[in-house]
Amino acid sequence: MTHVLVTGGAGFIGSHTVDLLLSQGHRVTVLDDLSTGLMANLKQCEGNPNFHFVKADVAEDIAETLDQVAAIVGPIDRIIHYAAQTAVPLSMDDPASDVRANVIGSVKLLEYARRNKVAKVAFASSSAVYDDDAPVPVNEKSSVRPSSPYGIDKLVVEFYLDYYARLFGLKYTALRFMNVYGPRQDSKSWYSGVISIFLDRAASNTPITIFDDGEQTRDFVYVTDVAAAVTKACLDDAAHGEIINIGTGEEVSINTLAKLAIDLAGSTSVISYAPARPGDIRRSVTTMDKARALLAFAPKVSFADGLAHTLNWVRTQL
Ligand code: UD2
């Protein structure tokens, strides 16, 4: 049994990862400050003797907190690091806060990992590190040039991982997520993913707003597939020192998505168009070669099934 620390484990992707780790019989400690994460996302874990929760901010002095966890639950063997400020527009409004949450928090965690001989860290990075002008599909060698403080901070942490690996032998894998969607993604926030927003509007027959002309594209990957990739990257020492894109390789336009959401929900929602959001990228899709080769990763949930599961969940939230 491996003891895995999941930072941000009460969040959208984190909580699905916790479910998977517990189902595999591992011991899990979640560290989350509940700033955007929700205990409701972990309700199903309550009473599981292998599940532990600590409310703490990763950017505070977490070493003492984690020492206490280790004393009670046992040493932390591996870490999955999700805890972050995840809204790109917020990072543009307040870059310094983004550095605190996303860089300082990560460095504190890496310090803990090296001092306590943690076997491996899997880090949730982002496709936001890529240059908007990089030809699509992007691959892990595509040029990086982030368009937001959020993307800069994710890239900085990738450099820290490399530094800790080279100087201290810390093992790691960084996963650059494309657009993740699925149940538990907040559908009410303006900063949320487009799929949860569109399905929420479609299910409630309220207007859908498409920014720009809607011909921009994204590579949408279902949350349990992402959780599986991250879990494998964390538990398996293979893919150490690697950066791997996690997506599906399929490019979907926002216009197509809006129509699918309306059809699927049998909705009377009306679509309207608004100016492009500042910093929005035009096309985003990844190659899958590296994820396939190093993590044996292939998405299991089709887009149609993923949308249907997400719509069911959105309806429970209305
Ligand atoms: C996603 C991630 C972000 C970062 C980035 C990397 C989410 C929520 N954000 O940002 O964290 O990793 O990818 O490139 O997953 N849109 C509409 N109407 C709406 C909402 C959105 O037209 O009501 C459009 C939006 O203008 C954009 C597309 O949908 O063109 C996707 O927007 P998003 O916020 O879901 O994700 P993105 O790609 O900006």
Side-chain angles (χ1 to χ4, degrees):
M1 182 192 284
T2 306
H3 180 198
V4 184
L5 174 72
V6 183
T7 73
F12 162 49
I13 310 173
S15 62
H16 284 280
T17 306
V18 171
D19 289 345
L20 180 60
L21 285 163
L22 289 173
S23 77
Q24 292 176 350
H26 299 294
R27 183 174 292 163
V28 178
T29 296
V30 167
L31 184 140
D32 198 303
D33 68 355
L34 300 178
S35 56
T36 55
L38 298 169
M39 284 313 288
N41 289 339
L42 295 169
K43 212 171 174 332
Q44 66 289 355
C45 310
E46 273 169 24
N48 186 325
N50 289 333
F51 171 72
H52 305 271
F53 179 84
V54 193
K55 184 171 182 294
D57 176 352
V58 76
E60 293 295 329
D61 290 319
I62 50 166
E64 205 176 304
T65 308
L66 293 177
D67 284 345
Q68 285 165 8
V69 166
I72 297 165
V73 186
I76 293 164
D77 300 312
R78 288 164 190 263
I79 296 177
I80 295 178
H81 181 36
Y82 289 113
Q85 191 301 106
T86 58
V88 174
L90 285 183
S91 81
M92 293 160 123
D93 291 347
D94 190 355
S97 294
D98 209 72
V99 170
R100 180 186 174 277
N102 294 355
V103 180
I104 310 271
S106 299
V107 173
K108 289 197 171 177
L109 194 68
L110 292 179
E111 268 301 293
Y112 180 85
R114 90 164 171 97
R115 285 178 195 279
N116 291 278
K117 309 256 176 298
V118 168
K120 194 172 179 193
V121 176
F123 172 59
S125 187
S126 170
S127 57
V129 302
Y130 288 115
D131 186 343
D132 284 357
D133 295 329
V136 291
V138 290
N139 63 52
E140 293 78 359
K141 293 200 167 89
S142 296
S143 59
V144 291
R145 190 185 184 201
S147 303
S148 63
Y150 172 80
I152 295 171
D153 295 342
K154 289 290 180 185
L155 190 57
V156 166
V157 176
E158 290 183 3
F159 281 116
Y160 269 106
L161 287 163
D162 178 59
Y163 160 80
Y164 275 89
R166 277 188 291 133
L167 269 79
F168 309 113
L170 181 68
K171 286 195 169 57
Y172 79 90
T173 303
L175 295 312
R176 289 181 179 162
F177 301 158
M178 307 308 283
N179 286 60
V180 188
Y181 75 102
R184 302 182 197 157
Q185 188 169 38
D186 182 6
S187 54
K188 300 296 177 197
S189 158
W190 272 109
Y191 305 118
S192 194
V194 65
I195 290 187
S196 60
I197 294 174
F198 281 9
L199 289 175
D200 176 88
R201 304 301 179 270
S204 53
N205 296 307
T206 52
I208 285 179
T209 304
I210 293 179
F211 301 120
D212 205 356
D213 64 0
E215 285 307 299
Q216 67 270 37
T217 62
R218 295 294 184 270
D219 181 337
F220 294 107
V221 56
Y222 193 68
V223 64
T224 53
D225 283 327
V226 174
V230 176
T231 299
K232 182 156 174 40
C234 172
L235 296 177
D236 190 342
D237 285 341
H240 160 55
E242 301 287 349
I243 289 168
I244 305 173
N245 289 349
I246 300 296
T248 65
E250 285 175 38
E251 199 175 2
V252 178
S253 79
I254 301 304
N255 281 328
T256 301
L257 176 67
K259 289 193 192 86
L260 284 172
I262 288 170
D263 286 352
L264 189 64
S267 173
T268 57
S269 289
V270 174
I271 296 175
S272 66
Y273 287 82
R277 284 194 317 202
D280 240 15
I281 56 172
R282 190 68 187 165
R283 291 180 67 189
S284 179
V285 61
T286 181
T287 58
M288 297 295 294
D289 306 329
K290 198 167 176 184
R292 203 178 294 123
L294 296 186
L295 297 175
F297 176 72
K300 287 202 171 68
V301 181
S302 70
F303 195 46
D305 286 349
L307 285 181
H309 297 325
T310 310
L311 176 62
N312 285 342
W313 179 82
V314 163
R315 283 192 162 130
T316 65
Q317 304 300 300
L318 288 179

Coordinates of all heavy atoms in Angstrom, one line a residue, residues 86 88 126-128 150 179 191-194 197-198 209-211 216 218 254 277 280-281, ligand 1:
T86 N -6.3 28.3 -10.4 CA -6.5 27.7 -11.8 C -7.1 28.6 -12.8 O -7.2 28.2 -14.0 CB -7.2 26.4 -11.7 OG1 -8.5 26.6 -11.2 CG2 -6.5 25.3 -10.9
V88 N -7.2 31.3 -15.4 CA -6.3 32.1 -16.2 C -6.6 33.6 -16.1 O -5.7 34.4 -15.8 CB -6.3 31.7 -17.7 CG1 -5.5 32.6 -18.5 CG2 -5.8 30.2 -17.8
S126 N 0.1 22.5 -17.5 CA -1.0 23.0 -18.4 C -0.5 23.3 -19.8 O 0.7 23.7 -20.0 CB -1.6 24.3 -17.8 OG -2.4 24.8 -18.8
S127 N -1.4 23.1 -20.8 CA -1.1 23.5 -22.2 C -1.0 25.0 -22.3 O -0.6 25.5 -23.3 CB -2.2 23.0 -23.1 OG -3.5 23.5 -22.6
A128 N -1.3 25.7 -21.2 CA -1.1 27.2 -21.2 C 0.3 27.6 -21.3 O 0.6 28.8 -21.5 CB -1.8 27.8 -19.9
Y150 N -0.5 32.6 -15.3 CA -0.8 31.2 -15.0 C 0.1 30.3 -15.7 O 0.7 29.4 -15.2 CB -2.3 30.9 -15.3 CG -2.7 29.5 -15.2 CD1 -3.0 28.9 -13.9 CD2 -2.8 28.7 -16.3 CE1 -3.3 27.6 -13.8 CE2 -3.1 27.3 -16.2 CZ -3.4 26.8 -15.0 OH -3.8 25.5 -14.9
N179 N -7.9 20.7 -22.3 CA -9.1 21.2 -21.6 C -9.8 20.0 -20.9 O -10.4 19.2 -21.6 CB -10.0 21.9 -22.6 CG -9.4 23.3 -22.9 OD1 -8.3 23.4 -23.5 ND2 -10.2 24.3 -22.6
Y191 N -15.2 31.5 -14.5 CA -13.9 31.0 -14.8 C -13.9 29.5 -15.1 O -12.9 28.9 -15.2 CB -13.0 31.3 -13.6 CG -12.9 32.8 -13.3 CD1 -13.4 33.2 -12.0 CD2 -12.5 33.7 -14.2 CE1 -13.3 34.5 -11.7 CE2 -12.5 35.0 -13.9 CZ -12.9 35.5 -12.7 OH -12.9 36.8 -12.4
S192 N -15.1 28.9 -15.1 CA -15.1 27.5 -15.2 C -14.9 27.1 -16.7 O -14.8 27.9 -17.6 CB -16.5 27.0 -14.7 OG -16.4 25.6 -14.5
G193 N -14.9 25.8 -16.9 CA -14.7 25.2 -18.2 C -15.9 25.4 -19.1 O -17.0 25.4 -18.6
V194 N -15.7 25.6 -20.4 CA -16.8 25.9 -21.3 C -17.8 24.8 -21.3 O -19.0 25.1 -21.5 CB -16.2 26.3 -22.7 CG1 -15.5 25.1 -23.3 CG2 -17.3 26.8 -23.6
I197 N -20.2 25.1 -18.4 CA -21.0 26.3 -18.5 C -22.1 26.0 -19.6 O -23.3 26.3 -19.3 CB -20.1 27.5 -18.9 CG1 -19.2 27.9 -17.8 CG2 -21.0 28.7 -19.3 CD1 -18.2 29.0 -18.1
F198 N -21.7 25.5 -20.7 CA -22.7 25.3 -21.8 C -23.7 24.3 -21.4 O -24.9 24.5 -21.7 CB -22.0 24.8 -23.1 CG -21.3 25.9 -23.9 CD1 -21.2 27.2 -23.4 CD2 -20.8 25.7 -25.2 CE1 -20.6 28.3 -24.1 CE2 -20.2 26.7 -25.9 CZ -20.1 28.0 -25.4
T209 N -23.5 32.0 -24.4 CA -22.7 33.0 -25.0 C -21.4 32.4 -25.6 O -20.7 31.7 -24.8 CB -22.3 34.1 -24.0 OG1 -23.5 34.6 -23.4 CG2 -21.5 35.3 -24.7
I210 N -21.2 32.6 -26.9 CA -20.0 32.2 -27.5 C -19.1 33.4 -27.7 O -19.5 34.4 -28.3 CB -20.2 31.5 -28.9 CG1 -21.0 30.2 -28.6 CG2 -18.9 31.2 -29.6 CD1 -21.3 29.4 -29.9
F211 N -17.9 33.4 -27.2 CA -16.9 34.5 -27.4 C -16.3 34.3 -28.7 O -16.0 33.2 -29.1 CB -15.9 34.5 -26.3 CG -16.5 34.7 -24.9 CD1 -16.3 33.7 -23.9 CD2 -17.3 35.8 -24.6 CE1 -16.9 33.9 -22.7 CE2 -17.9 35.9 -23.4 CZ -17.7 35.0 -22.4
Q216 N -12.9 28.9 -32.8 CA -11.7 28.4 -32.0 C -11.9 27.0 -31.6 O -13.1 26.6 -31.4 CB -11.5 29.4 -30.8 CG -12.5 29.4 -29.7 CD -13.6 30.4 -29.9 OE1 -14.0 30.6 -31.0 NE2 -14.1 31.0 -28.8
R218 N -10.7 23.4 -29.2 CA -10.0 22.9 -28.0 C -10.0 21.3 -28.1 O -10.8 20.7 -28.8 CB -10.8 23.3 -26.7 CG -10.8 24.8 -26.4 CD -9.4 25.3 -26.1 NE -9.4 26.7 -25.7 CZ -9.3 27.7 -26.6 NH1 -9.2 27.5 -27.9 NH2 -9.3 29.0 -26.1
I254 N -15.8 25.5 -30.7 CA -16.8 25.9 -29.7 C -18.2 26.0 -30.3 O -19.2 25.7 -29.6 CB -16.3 27.3 -29.1 CG1 -14.9 27.1 -28.4 CG2 -17.3 27.8 -28.0 CD1 -14.8 26.0 -27.4
R277 N -12.4 36.8 -25.7 CA -11.8 37.1 -24.4 C -10.4 37.4 -24.6 O -9.7 36.7 -25.4 CB -11.9 35.9 -23.5 CG -13.3 35.6 -23.0 CD -13.3 34.6 -21.9 NE -12.4 33.4 -22.1 CZ -12.6 32.2 -21.5 NH1 -13.5 32.1 -20.6 NH2 -11.8 31.2 -21.8
D280 N -7.4 34.7 -25.2 CA -7.9 33.5 -25.7 C -7.0 32.9 -26.9 O -6.7 33.7 -27.8 CB -9.3 33.6 -26.2 CG -10.3 32.8 -25.5 OD1 -10.0 32.3 -24.4 OD2 -11.4 32.6 -26.0
I281 N -6.7 31.6 -26.8 CA -6.0 31.1 -28.0 C -6.9 30.6 -29.0 O -8.1 30.4 -28.8 CB -5.0 30.0 -27.5 CG1 -5.7 28.9 -26.8 CG2 -3.9 30.6 -26.7 CD1 -4.8 27.7 -26.5
Ligands
UD2_1 C1 -8.2 26.2 -20.4 C2 -8.1 26.0 -18.9 C3 -7.0 26.8 -18.3 C4 -5.7 26.6 -19.1 C5 -5.9 26.7 -20.6 C6 -4.6 26.3 -21.3 C7 -10.3 25.6 -18.0 C8 -11.5 26.2 -17.3 N1 -9.3 26.5 -18.3 O1 -8.5 27.5 -20.7 O2 -6.8 26.5 -16.9 O3 -5.2 25.3 -18.7 O4 -7.0 25.9 -21.0 O5 -4.7 26.8 -22.6 O6 -10.3 24.5 -18.3 N2 -16.0 30.1 -24.1 C9 -17.2 30.6 -24.7 N3 -18.2 30.9 -23.8 C10 -18.2 30.6 -22.5 C11 -17.0 30.1 -21.9 C12 -15.9 29.9 -22.8 O7 -17.3 30.8 -25.9 O8 -19.2 30.9 -21.8 C13 -14.9 29.8 -25.0 C14 -13.7 30.6 -24.6 O9 -13.6 31.9 -25.2 C15 -12.6 29.7 -25.2 C16 -13.1 28.3 -25.1 O10 -14.5 28.5 -24.9 O11 -12.3 30.0 -26.5 C17 -12.6 27.5 -24.0 O12 -12.7 28.3 -22.8 P1 -12.4 27.7 -21.3 O13 -12.5 28.8 -20.4 O14 -13.2 26.5 -21.1 O15 -10.9 27.1 -21.4 P2 -9.5 27.8 -21.9 O16 -9.1 27.1 -23.1 O17 -9.6 29.3 -22.0

